[in-house]
Amino acid sequence: MQTVSEIYNAKTEIKRSTFLSYLLPIAKFEEFHEILRSDHPKAAHIVWAYRKLNKYSQIIEAQSDDGEPKGTSGQPCLNALRGAGLIDAAVLVVRYFGGIKLGTGGLVRAYGGAANLVINEANLENFEQKDICCFFVPFSLTARFEHFLQKQNLEAKREFKEDGAIWQVEFNEEEFNAFYDFAHHFEAQNFAFLAIPLFARRIF
């Protein structure tokens, strides 16, 4: 699977209609959708589709024709995301109507083509599923855990308590396995796992 970490755009014209297509991370979808509505008040349609992975590793898909005939616009955009193996990504296509109707087949080709155009322009990245691990580290072990995370290029959020801190770190499966091998030896010294990634349940 692949994903994107920034916003990409492309433009195409078909029979006088202009199609502005955008590919972006799912985290930016809602905000960017509102920006497009504000920036393009005269656009005939703003069609969209997205694919995302939930914490149970299930793929969630959604799409909208935004007033175009059913199945002629949102679905071709979704199919473009599927075809590229994209996850945690959204595509939006703004259409300015040029006065010539494209017909059902023409709309499918136009929207699918607009979505594929911006996907082909994008720098696609390998997708890694990450999940948050929450754990308690007493002050006596802080330096050891800081050193380990620095070596692994991982960052932690910390909430300090009287005798230590509650840490939150995002891990992929390989990173968590390495962390578990390091950390579980300190449980006798008051280190404790508080919440673990779903993919790590087999260890516990």
Side-chain angles (χ1 to χ4, degrees):
M1 291 188 292
Q2 300 184 101
T3 193
V4 289
S5 58
E6 57 186 284
I7 299 174
Y8 297 90
N9 64 84
K11 178 180 177 180
T12 186
E13 292 188 12
I14 300 172
K15 293 185 178 180
R16 298 182 184 176
S17 281
T18 300
F19 295 85
L20 308 174
S21 50
Y22 302 86
L23 179 68
L24 57 148
I26 190 67
K28 298 180 179 181
F29 169 69
E30 290 188 9
E31 179 184 3
F32 195 72
H33 191 197
E34 291 304 314
I35 290 172
L36 289 181
R37 287 186 180 278
S38 175
D39 289 351
H40 299 278
K42 295 183 179 180
H45 309 279
I46 301 179
V47 168
W48 56 263
Y50 68 68
R51 303 179 80 225
K52 65 180 181 179
L53 208 62
N54 68 15
K55 66 179 182 178
Y56 302 107
S57 298
Q58 298 167 323
I59 295 176
I60 306 299
E61 298 179 332
Q63 51 88 14
S64 169
D65 296 309
D66 192 35
E68 292 280 30
K70 185 176 180 181
T72 62
S73 49
Q75 190 63 45
C77 290
L78 181 58
N79 288 341
L81 293 174
R82 289 171 176 167
L86 280 161
I87 200 72
D88 278 6
V91 66
L92 299 101
V93 181
V94 179
R95 181 190 181 189
Y96 282 89
F97 182 55
I100 300 175
K101 293 184 177 181
L102 301 181
T104 300
L107 286 171
V108 170
R109 289 189 294 273
Y111 279 100
N116 279 310
L117 182 63
V118 72
I119 290 170
N120 291 336
E121 293 286 327
N123 178 27
L124 304 185
E125 306 165 19
N126 288 332
F127 174 77
E128 283 188 323
Q129 185 180 14
K130 291 199 171 192
D131 201 357
I132 291 176
C133 178
C134 185
F135 49 90
F136 175 79
V137 178
F139 288 129
S140 59
L141 296 175
T142 296
R144 294 191 185 190
F145 278 78
E146 286 178 342
H147 179 67
F148 176 87
L149 294 179
Q150 286 172 1
K151 284 202 310 180
Q152 303 297 319
N153 293 316
L154 295 168
E155 296 183 359
K157 295 180 181 179
R158 288 184 279 189
E159 179 185 351
F160 291 97
K161 303 295 182 180
E162 290 185 5
D163 51 350
I166 296 174
W167 299 39
Q168 288 188 1
V169 179
E170 276 197 337
F171 295 104
N172 62 31
E173 190 165 3
E174 182 179 353
E175 290 167 343
F176 180 80
N177 289 340
F179 176 72
Y180 177 81
D181 289 342
F182 160 79
H184 81 275
H185 300 291
F186 296 106
E187 289 180 310
Q189 300 178 52
N190 294 326
F191 164 81
F193 286 102
L194 302 179
I196 60 170
L198 191 68
F199 55 68
R201 296 290 171 86
R202 58 180 177 75
I203 297 177
F204 290 80

